[in-house]
Amino acid sequence: SQQGEEDPQALSIQEGENATMNCSYKTSINNLQWYRQNSGRGLVHLILIRSNEREKHSGRLRVTLDTSKKSSSLLITASRAADTASYFCATDGNSGYSTLTFGKGTMLLVSP
Amino acid sequence: KAGVTQTPRYLIKTRGQQVTLSCSPISGHRSVSWYQQTPGQGLQFLFEYFSETQRNKGNFPGRFSGRQFSNSRSEMNVSTLELGDSALYLCASSLDGTRSNEQFFGPGTRLTVL
């Protein structure tokens, strides 16, 4: 079953604009990770945010986590055509191990 | 440091056959997890290995199996292939597979069952 649910399912923007994707999950977590996938290739790890963190930055990426609402958001600032990809959030659920549960992803299209 | 590698990258099989996929984790990583990605079901966890032992298993039939070797390399096997097994199979490695560690994915093996 899907733990995370990304919103929106698809997002189309122009280069230079910001893109915001949201993720909601159901159970308690230890951490939440965001991944990018280009055209059915492997997943590229973007950022990990722990349950005791509220915000994290990495380059043009900003991730927030609200454990009370069981939600996270990924903001990509000043988007580029190369950011075109699908973005997934993944949570580790309740198991003691790193089994990840993924949402269905947000497909981002950045037009030049 | 080399990333996660998977072989082969593409595979075409027919129904009823079996297939073995291979994954080499990042050097020093001891946990390997396998995921199946399909358009309908998305990304689903198959199983996770650590120190040659399967620690966790997803909700897949027994036709899906795996193993891990002493050098942490892992293989997964699917027997009696069905059309629905067509998918991108991804493996991920992490240091010790605990919840605090990031997981890094390989490029995947695209399996097509005809």
Side-chain angles (χ1 to χ4, degrees):
Chain A
S1 62
Q2 299 292 332
Q3 157 85 309
E5 293 288 337
E6 287 90 344
D7 167 56
Q9 288 188 330
L11 182 60
S12 182
I13 59 174
Q14 300 290 120
E15 264 191 330
E17 293 180 337
N18 295 342
T20 300
M21 288 157 269
N22 302 298
C23 166
S24 61
Y25 56 92
K26 297 173 184 173
T27 65
S28 62
I29 61 171
N30 189 52
N31 62 56
L32 183 146
Q33 302 183 61
W34 284 90
Y35 290 87
R36 184 186 75 228
Q37 185 178 42
N38 292 82
S39 302
R41 296 186 176 180
L43 296 168
V44 174
H45 187 272
L46 295 176
I47 200 164
L48 178 151
I49 186 167
R50 304 193 189 286
S51 60
N52 61 355
E53 297 175 309
R54 291 296 166 257
E55 187 170 311
K56 204 163 181 179
H57 296 255
S58 177
R60 294 184 295 114
L61 306 180
R62 172 178 167 253
V63 168
T64 62
L65 179 65
D66 187 335
T67 53
S68 66
K69 294 181 180 178
K70 292 186 169 58
S71 66
S72 174
S73 68
L74 169 68
L75 168 67
I76 304 174
T77 60
S79 62
R80 306 165 182 167
D83 294 329
T84 294
S86 291
Y87 292 81
F88 296 88
C89 70
T91 55
D92 58 1
N94 288 321
S95 78
Y97 306 117
S98 58
T99 302
L100 296 178
T101 305
F102 288 86
K104 289 195 178 291
T106 292
M107 193 176 300
L108 173 66
L109 173 64
V110 182
S111 302
Chain B
K1 190 182 274 192
V4 179
T5 58
Q6 291 187 245
T7 57
R9 293 292 310 278
Y10 301 91
L11 208 47
I12 299 176
K13 292 284 187 179
T14 56
R15 278 182 301 175
Q17 287 186 312
Q18 75 164 17
V19 67
T20 299
L21 312 180
S22 180
C23 171
S24 292
I26 292 170
S27 177
H29 285 194
R30 296 170 64 192
S31 168
V32 174
S33 299
W34 288 90
Y35 293 82
Q36 180 197 63
Q37 185 179 27
T38 60
Q41 298 299 316
L43 281 149
Q44 293 188 293
F45 170 74
L46 280 157
F47 27 66
E48 186 246 354
Y49 287 87
F50 178 79
S51 291
E52 303 177 64
T53 301
Q54 185 183 90
R55 289 199 300 195
N56 210 356
K57 189 177 190 303
N59 189 26
F60 278 81
R63 299 185 297 107
F64 292 81
S65 62
R67 59 177 175 169
Q68 186 180 35
F69 302 94
S70 59
N71 62 358
S72 294
R73 189 177 71 85
S74 177
E75 289 181 346
M76 69 163 279
N77 184 76
V78 187
S79 62
T80 319
L81 284 166
E82 301 176 359
L83 295 178
D85 297 333
S86 293
L88 180 67
Y89 290 88
L90 295 160
C91 84
S93 79
S94 67
L95 274 172
D96 58 10
T98 62
R99 296 167 74 186
S100 60
N101 291 137
E102 298 155 322
Q103 287 197 45
F104 297 92
F105 283 78
T109 293
R110 172 77 62 186
L111 172 65
T112 301
V113 182
L114 303 175

